[in-house]
Amino acid sequence: QVQLVESGGGLVQAGVSLRLSCAASGRTFNLRRVGWFRQAPGKERELVAARLWIGSHTHYADAVKGRFTISKDNAKNTVYLQMNSLKPEDTAVYYCAAGVVGSDTYNFWGQGTQVTVSP
């Protein structure tokens, strides 16, 4: 099992930056990928950014390319989502998720953290 705990959400004004953290614990040695998803009210959950647990390959949704950066602190088993130039349309609950080796899906999810961007 892997436990994921997000932090760093909040209420901010458009244009500012915010950094989300996702602390992973448990059997992290078995992880292959980690991603940040978001779900806005009335909308489907969408993948925002993802990366390999070991390695540097990353993927970003078109809506956040150039503004968001996913990174990982290997010593802390913590994944970050740096969000710059935030827009009101970035308002959502953000979830951290992780997938294990041999799986093509995300097996573990955090509880989510609210990000609200005011105009």
Side-chain angles (χ1 to χ4, degrees):
Q1 288 292 332
V2 172
Q3 294 77 42
L4 303 172
V5 179
E6 303 102 332
S7 61
L11 171 63
V12 297
Q13 287 189 324
V16 304
S17 299
L18 200 62
R19 189 179 77 163
L20 305 182
S21 300
C22 173
S25 61
R27 300 171 66 88
T28 59
F29 62 86
N30 202 32
L31 293 179
R32 168 135 178 96
R33 69 178 62 82
V34 62
W36 285 97
F37 290 75
R38 68 185 181 187
Q39 187 167 21
K43 295 188 177 181
E44 293 188 354
R45 185 173 60 195
E46 61 176 349
L47 177 64
V48 174
R51 60 164 289 152
L52 294 177
W53 182 253
I54 297 176
S56 59
H57 180 73
T58 57
H59 167 80
Y60 295 94
D62 288 343
V64 306
K65 278 181 182 177
R67 299 190 298 123
F68 289 14
T69 302
I70 186 171
S71 63
K72 176 173 172 276
D73 184 326
N74 293 323
K76 297 181 178 180
N77 271 351
T78 298
V79 178
Y80 302 99
L81 184 67
Q82 178 67 42
M83 305 185 293
N84 298 331
S85 302
L86 282 163
K87 304 175 181 180
E89 50 263 44
D90 294 319
T91 295
V93 178
Y94 284 72
Y95 297 91
C96 177
V100 301
V101 173
S103 173
D104 59 359
T105 186
Y106 288 86
N107 309 99
F108 304 102
W109 293 81
Q111 81 284 358
T113 185
Q114 176 71 46
V115 173
T116 303
V117 184
S118 63

